[in-house]
Amino acid sequence: MVVLNVWSDYLCPWCNVAAVRLHAIEAELGEAVELRWKSYLLRPRPEPGRDLEKFRRYTESWRRPAEEEPAAVFRVWQSDEGPPSHSVPAHLVAKAAAALGHDTFERVHGALLRAYFEHNRDISSAATLRAIWLEQGLPESEFARADGPALLQQVMEEHNQAIELGVGGVPAVQMQGSDAAITGAHPAELYRRWIKKRLEEDSR
């Protein structure tokens, strides 16, 4: 089995593209590949009071990843929510979901990406994150896990691990056992060839 460590941020449009492509390959190859999603913080600290109209104009740039990967849904910002203040809250909720199981993480992981890029919801807002959690049918009592200091420490450790690896942006994918990562939302065929080459090498 090939294990891929994938550093990603829920505020990164190219991470949405990479998620679509990597999940398709995971579905195609089944148990031959495992994705391990790790936190990378494009906005590590809160920035309250960001200008909404400026942010709306920024989201016009989402048209480019939308054109490159039609399966990744993007919608130029039309909501009055936001802009998101920072990256950390969404990662904490994803980690809280992961503590309840892999399938739960996958549901919340996908829901966070859709909420931001497709539905224009502020995924740094505690109220929005709680709503997303409940929409996935998860127990309200378990949402408090996201406030745990251990999860914040895990998020920061994963981010710092990427920095130590030389990662300067996301998405970034490292094949476990390698001392380097490839950065950028690459074509699915590149990821596919990379994985199959390792599987062939391991089978010899």
Side-chain angles (χ1 to χ4, degrees):
M1 181 177 68
V2 172
V3 175
L4 298 181
N5 296 316
V6 186
W7 280 273
S8 180
D9 190 304
Y10 290 103
L11 303 183
C12 168
W14 293 103
C15 292
N16 191 27
V17 170
V20 166
R21 293 173 178 173
L22 289 168
H23 278 127
I25 291 170
E26 184 181 39
E28 173 189 334
L29 298 179
E31 295 181 358
V33 63
E34 178 184 344
L35 304 178
R36 295 183 181 173
W37 294 91
K38 295 181 177 288
S39 299
Y40 189 94
L41 306 174
L42 290 176
R43 291 186 174 273
R45 291 172 292 279
E47 299 176 42
R50 295 177 64 206
D51 184 86
L52 179 57
E53 292 309 314
K54 183 178 179 180
F55 177 69
R56 287 190 206 278
R57 292 192 295 273
Y58 152 71
T59 66
E60 293 283 346
S61 68
W62 293 356
R63 297 185 191 277
R64 183 181 166 206
E67 290 171 356
E68 290 202 17
E69 180 49 73
V73 179
F74 292 90
R75 181 185 182 206
V76 172
W77 204 266
Q78 299 177 27
S79 169
D80 290 329
E81 287 191 43
S85 60
H86 62 312
S87 299
V88 174
H91 285 284
L92 292 176
V93 168
K95 297 297 185 200
L100 301 179
H102 177 74
D103 290 345
T104 303
F105 166 78
E106 289 292 348
R107 283 161 52 199
V108 171
H109 174 72
L112 288 168
L113 291 170
R114 290 191 300 275
Y116 184 53
F117 292 110
E118 183 175 354
H119 304 302
N120 297 166
R121 300 169 75 179
D122 177 4
I123 58 171
S124 67
S125 159
T128 297
L129 290 169
R130 180 182 293 275
I132 291 169
W133 182 272
L134 296 177
E135 287 160 13
Q136 298 310 304
L138 303 182
E140 186 170 9
S141 60
E142 297 291 349
F143 183 74
R145 288 176 179 268
D147 294 327
L151 293 188
L152 178 59
Q153 181 179 351
Q154 182 183 355
V155 166
M156 298 309 301
E157 285 177 351
E158 289 178 2
H159 176 80
N160 291 333
Q161 182 185 10
I163 299 300
E164 291 169 6
L165 195 63
V167 171
V170 283
V173 182
Q174 176 202 37
M175 189 173 289
Q176 190 154 296
S178 171
D179 59 359
I182 59 171
T183 302
H186 293 279
E189 185 55 31
L190 185 148
Y191 293 126
R192 188 179 290 107
R193 288 200 309 268
W194 192 37
I195 294 166
K196 287 186 174 180
K197 181 179 178 182
R198 171 59 69 86
L199 290 171
E200 289 169 2
E201 290 172 351
D202 291 347
S203 68
R204 291 173 188 165

